[in-house]
Structures are given as C-alpha cells and as structure tokens.
C-alpha cells in the first residue's frame, strides 16, 4: 500500500491559476502547506499558497529545487510539458501520473484509449495531411469537427466543417498541425463527471452536472442534470472505469455528450481533463467534499470523501466584466461568491464564479 501523506506535508502544484488557488486553499484546510511553481511573477494561486517558486517549466535546476521541498507534485493545467512531468517524476511522485497526462494531452491517444476500452466516442480519424482530411471527410461525412491533437481548450484549435469543399480552409485554420477529425455528435446536452481515484485504487465519482457554454467557455453547470437516474449512474460508472483503466491518481473531469436519440449509445465521451475542472466547482458548496479537497485526498492517499450532493445547485462563471456585479450577486439568496482576485477583467477571462443552491432551472 502506498504511504499516506500526513497533515504537515507539503503539496507542490504546477501552475498558478484559479484552480491552483482553490487547490491550495483546500490543502490548507487539511493541514498541508503548499508550494506553487509557475513562470508568472504574481498569480491567483501564489497569493494563498505557503511558498511560490517562479521558474520556467523547462528549467530543470529550478524544478529540482522545487521537487526537493515537496512531498508530492500535482498540476492545475493539463498542458504541463511531458518532459517536465517526466523529469519531476524521477524526483518525487507526480500525481496524476505521466501516462495519464500523456493520454489526456493528445486527442488521438485519448480517443484510441477509449476505443480500446470499449468506451463510446464520436467517430474519428487521424489527420496528418489535407489528403487524410479529404478521405476522412468522405468516410465520416459532414458536419464534422477538425481538432488539433494537442493544446486545444475552450474551443481553441478546432473548426467545424460543413461541406467537403471546406476541407482546405479548415486545414489552414488549424495551422496544418497533427489533428483528428470527429464526426459531429447531435447531442441533446453536455454533461460532465468528476471522478477521483487514490493510490489505493479507491474510486468515488460525483454525479454529472449539465454544462452550458457561451462563446466556447463554460457558462453554467446545473446539478442535477436533466437525465434519468439510470444515465446518471451509467455516466459515473464510465468515469470510474476510465480512471481505473488509466491507473489514475487524483481527480479527473470526464466530459460526455448525451445523445438522447440514441438508445443503445446514449453517452459519448468527448474528452477527459486530468485535473480539477471548472464543471466541478459546484461541489464546493453543494457537497461535503469539494473536488479540490477530493483531489488532495486522492494524491495523498487519504480515504476519499463523501460525494453525495446535498442540494440542487447552479454554478455560474463570472467572465470578464461579469465580476462587476459582485455586490449584487452577494445579496442574492443562497449564493456563494468565489473570487480569484485577478487584476484585469479582460473579456473572456474567468474572474470568479457563484454557486446558487436549491435553484431550479426556470
Ligand atoms: P472540446 O474542446 O473538445 O471540448 O470541444 C468544445 C465544444 O465543441 C464542445 O463542448 C462541444 O460543444 C463542441 N464539440 C466538440 N466536439 C464535438 C463533436 N464531435 N460533435 C459536436 N459538438 C462538438
């Protein structure tokens, strides 16, 4: 059995964004100190963490100094360079591990992993040239979505193709990078499950939330999702299966499309995120254990916390100037405001979020 990291230990976190901030806050509640590693001079995570090291993700000298001071290393963003994760894992446990990270970082590897484990995805094909794309469009049909294999998020690095004649243009748009073509899934809704696994292999999933995006950025997560109880259980089971097959340690977001018209395959996995996830923020106020605490529990090999939802909840992201409404939002009933203390409310920037309990969709 892997050793448990006891309170008093130190958690190293790569990345200084709001997810790192909320991880550091949760870790502090559990009696841990935290050490953030990021290139930025100031960051939302650094200001609530015990220590911060400023360094490049490629700087092995700084990375080694950081590793020497922590008991376990985790990360709050999935684009941690593979080399960085590999180097660190020679010094201290990196959780989630290098293999899980590599799977989640590459859409082709991720899809192949799902396929080889019998988990449904959109039809897809590997694209390395315009010829590949043209051929795949003939096989998969339109509409379809062309996505770069790596470094896509919030709708970046992808483009929809409505007709065969658009192939060349789409190939240009994504910068002629290694990509996958996905058949367009006619989904009724998007849901996501946060699932945790500790080093012991214990598994615990939160129930699915239903996600609405605006301008390719998550706008709201509503729990419960408007799906049958059997589908709730099925989504949680698939998420647990993925975590177990990946030998995953930590919390992971699994995004699904719900295809209401498909009785045999009603749930299709879109992608996984090897970290705490925006669509899991509702757990902070509607569950006894938040996704942040659960992640720290998992990577320290603690028993996983209860995942039962104690209230209906809607999480709403505050993007850009939305944050100006903070005072009005505070006075709303059953609303908890979570602020990231970012200086500049640029359009599209995640500035904070609210959780409204006992709310029902109108
Ligand atoms: P992703 O970056 O893969 O999460 O995609 C961003 C958004 O594009 C998703 O949340 C969906 O709304 C949409 N999308 C991505 N892939 C597909 C697909 N194969 N079929 C339909 N919509 C998709």
């Amino acid at each position: 059995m892997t050793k448990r990291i006891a309170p008093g230990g130190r958690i190293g976190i790569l990345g200084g964004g709001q997810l790192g901030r909320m991880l550091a806050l949760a870790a502090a509640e559990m009696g841990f100190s935290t050490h953030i590693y990021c290139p930025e001079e100031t960051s939302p995570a650094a200001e609530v963490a015990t220590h911060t090291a400023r360094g490049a993700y490629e700087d092995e000298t700084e990375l080694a100094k950081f590793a020497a001071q922590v008991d376990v290393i985790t990360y709050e963003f999935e684009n941690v360079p593979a080399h960085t994760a590999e180097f660190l894992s020679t010094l201290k446990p990196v959780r989630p591990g290098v293999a899980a990270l590599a799977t989640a970082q590459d859409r082709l590897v991720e899809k192949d992993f799902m396929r080889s484990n019998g988990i449904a995805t959109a039809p897809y094909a590997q694209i390395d040239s315009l010829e590949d794309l043209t051929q795949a469009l003939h096989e998969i049909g339109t509409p379809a979505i062309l996505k770069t294999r790596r470094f896509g998020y919030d709708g970046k690095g992808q483009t929809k193709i409505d007709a065969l004649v658009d192939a060349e243009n789409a190939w240009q748009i994504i910068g002629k990078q290694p990509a996958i073509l996905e058949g367009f899934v006619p989904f009724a809704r998007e849901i996501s499950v946060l699932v945790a696994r500790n080093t012991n292999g214990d598994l615990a999933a939160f129930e699915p939330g239903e996600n609405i995006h605006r301008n390719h950025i998550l706008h709201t997560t509503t729990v419960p999702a408007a799906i049958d109880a059997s589908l709730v259980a099925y989504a949680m089971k698939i998420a647990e299966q993925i975590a177990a097959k990946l030998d995953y340690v930590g919390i992971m977001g699994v995004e699904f499309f719900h295809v209401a018209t498909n009785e045999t395959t009603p749930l299709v996995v879109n992608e996984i995120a090897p970290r705490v996830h925006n669509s899991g923020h509702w757990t902070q106020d509607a569950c006894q254990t938040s996704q942040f605490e659960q992640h720290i529990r998992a990577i320290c090999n603690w028993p996983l916390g209860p995942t039962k939802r104690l209230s209906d909840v809607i999480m709403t992201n505050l993007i850009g100037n939305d944050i100006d409404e903070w005072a009005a939002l505070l006075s709303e009933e059953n609303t908890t405001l979570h602020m990231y203390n970012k200086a500049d409310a640029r359009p599209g920037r995640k500035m904070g979020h609210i959780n409204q309990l006992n709310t029902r969709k109108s």
Side-chain angles (χ1 to χ4, degrees):
M1 198 219 243
T2 317
K3 221 173 111 230
R4 191 172 282 176
I5 299 173
R10 184 169 298 171
I11 317 270
I13 302 172
L14 299 173
Q18 66 270 12
L19 299 178
R21 177 186 179 93
M22 291 183 275
L23 278 171
L25 291 169
E29 284 276 330
M30 300 163 77
F32 293 109
S33 61
T34 48
H35 197 138
I36 304 292
Y37 187 100
C38 67
E40 292 84 18
E41 197 161 348
T42 58
S43 69
E47 62 183 22
V48 303
T50 325
H51 297 278
T52 305
R54 190 176 166 214
Y57 293 116
E58 295 74 25
D59 186 338
E60 290 192 357
T61 311
E62 287 304 315
L63 287 171
K65 277 196 229 161
F66 160 73
Q69 295 182 61
V70 301
D71 296 298
V72 61
I73 298 169
T74 189
Y75 39 90
E76 58 114 48
F77 67 114
E78 67 260 42
N79 288 329
V80 173
H83 181 76
T84 306
E86 276 158 23
F87 174 70
L88 287 171
S89 68
T90 63
L91 304 170
K92 284 288 158 67
V94 172
R95 298 177 182 150
V98 172
L101 181 66
T103 304
Q105 281 182 338
D106 184 323
R107 290 187 193 273
L108 180 65
V109 178
E110 185 181 53
K111 287 272 189 306
D112 286 347
F113 166 83
M114 299 299 163
R115 182 178 274 176
S116 65
N117 285 290
I119 295 164
T121 66
Y124 68 95
Q126 176 174 354
I127 307 296
D128 291 314
S129 64
L130 181 58
E131 293 69 47
D132 287 349
L133 178 57
T134 310
Q135 192 189 333
L137 279 168
H138 276 107
E139 283 159 19
I140 290 174
T142 54
I145 303 190
L146 183 64
K147 302 180 178 181
T148 56
R149 281 172 61 172
R150 294 176 157 275
F151 303 124
Y153 69 98
D154 288 348
K156 294 190 173 66
Q158 59 178 271
T159 184
K160 190 161 171 245
I161 303 179
D162 287 308
L164 284 173
V165 291
D166 297 339
E168 193 165 352
N169 191 28
W171 185 232
Q172 293 277 359
I173 288 174
I174 66 147
K176 302 183 180 180
Q177 295 177 63
I180 63 167
L181 184 75
E182 282 183 28
F184 191 84
V185 178
F187 60 84
R189 57 181 53 79
E190 295 185 74
I191 63 169
S192 55
V193 169
L194 273 298
V195 62
R197 184 172 175 276
N198 62 15
T199 38
N200 252 3
D202 302 331
L203 287 158
F206 292 97
E207 76 176 85
E210 182 164 342
N211 301 321
I212 306 274
H213 297 86
R214 266 193 197 163
N215 303 322
H216 303 288
I217 300 173
L218 183 67
H219 173 47
T220 57
T221 302
T222 301
V223 204
I227 55 174
D228 292 347
S230 61
L231 220 50
V232 167
Y234 185 46
M236 290 162 75
K237 201 180 119 219
I238 295 174
E240 290 185 351
Q241 206 182 331
I242 294 171
K245 290 276 182 198
L246 277 174
D247 201 16
Y248 193 87
V249 176
I251 205 155
M252 171 172 65
V254 182
E255 297 180 13
F256 297 90
F257 296 130
H258 173 214
V259 190
T261 47
N262 191 333
E263 276 178 28
T264 48
T265 317
L267 288 181
V268 163
V269 171
N270 174 27
E271 62 178 357
I272 57 174
R275 54 172 171 80
V276 288
H277 195 252
N278 195 168
S279 71
H281 291 359
W282 63 272
T283 58
Q284 287 176 305
D285 297 296
C287 296
Q288 211 171 340
T289 318
S290 75
Q291 64 161 342
F292 301 99
E293 175 177 339
Q294 195 75 306
H295 182 69
I296 302 293
R297 282 178 180 244
I299 64 171
C300 293
N301 203 25
W302 283 25
L304 298 175
T307 52
K308 190 172 175 296
R309 178 175 52 81
L310 303 173
S311 168
D312 289 6
V313 55
I314 298 180
M315 187 289 305
T316 304
N317 268 335
L318 303 174
I319 309 284
N321 289 334
D322 294 350
I323 203 73
D324 296 345
E325 299 304 314
W326 66 270
L329 291 167
L330 264 184
S331 52
E332 280 184 24
E333 225 178 315
N334 299 340
T335 298
T336 307
L337 181 61
H338 299 263
M339 307 277 272
Y340 310 151
N341 200 13
K342 294 181 184 173
D344 186 12
R346 289 194 296 271
R349 196 170 195 207
K350 291 175 181 168
M351 302 298 293
H353 66 273
I354 52 170
N355 282 326
Q356 295 175 291
L357 299 185
N358 289 314
T359 41
R360 292 261 177 214
K361 265 199 254 178
S362 52

